[in-house]
């Protein structure tokens, strides 16, 4: 239903939120989020893309990268 309203398409506003590549730590570990519709990493508050209104991905999907995040979050 939301796609009929045009909410689930990139409108180009996301370019102002585009995140730069991080060195040393992963994108998700540094607070960046990924929009699957706009196809880029962004830095913004909240879990909704300011451009298309789609929910942002805040965790990696791959098992190898998930393990890295989990290992970094465990404090000895």
């Amino acid at each position: 239903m939301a796609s009929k309203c045009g909410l689930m398409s990139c409108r180009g506003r996301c370019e102002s939120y585009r995140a730069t590549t991080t060195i040393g730590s992963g994108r998700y570990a540094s607070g960046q989020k990924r929009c699957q519709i706009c196809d880029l990493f962004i830095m913004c508050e909240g879990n909704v893309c300011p451009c298309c209104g789609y929910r942002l991905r805040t965790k990696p999907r791959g098992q190898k990268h998930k393990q890295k995040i989990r290992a970094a979050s465990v404090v000895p």
Side-chain angles (χ1 to χ4, degrees), residues 37-63:
I37 301 298
C38 300
D39 195 32
L40 56 92
F41 282 93
I42 62 175
M43 287 291 288
C44 71
E45 295 295 320
N47 290 331
V48 178
C49 180
C51 177
C52 64
Y54 197 75
R55 196 178 108 219
L56 297 171
R57 190 183 316 151
T58 58
K59 298 178 188 175
R61 292 176 62 189
Q63 190 65 28

Side-chain angles (χ1 to χ4, degrees), residues 7 10 19 21-22 33-34 45-46 48 54 59 63 71-72 75:
L7 293 176
C10 182
T21 305
T22 59
K33 300 167 188 164
R34 175 143 178 91
E45 295 295 320
V48 178
Y54 197 75
K59 298 178 188 175
Q63 190 65 28
V75 178

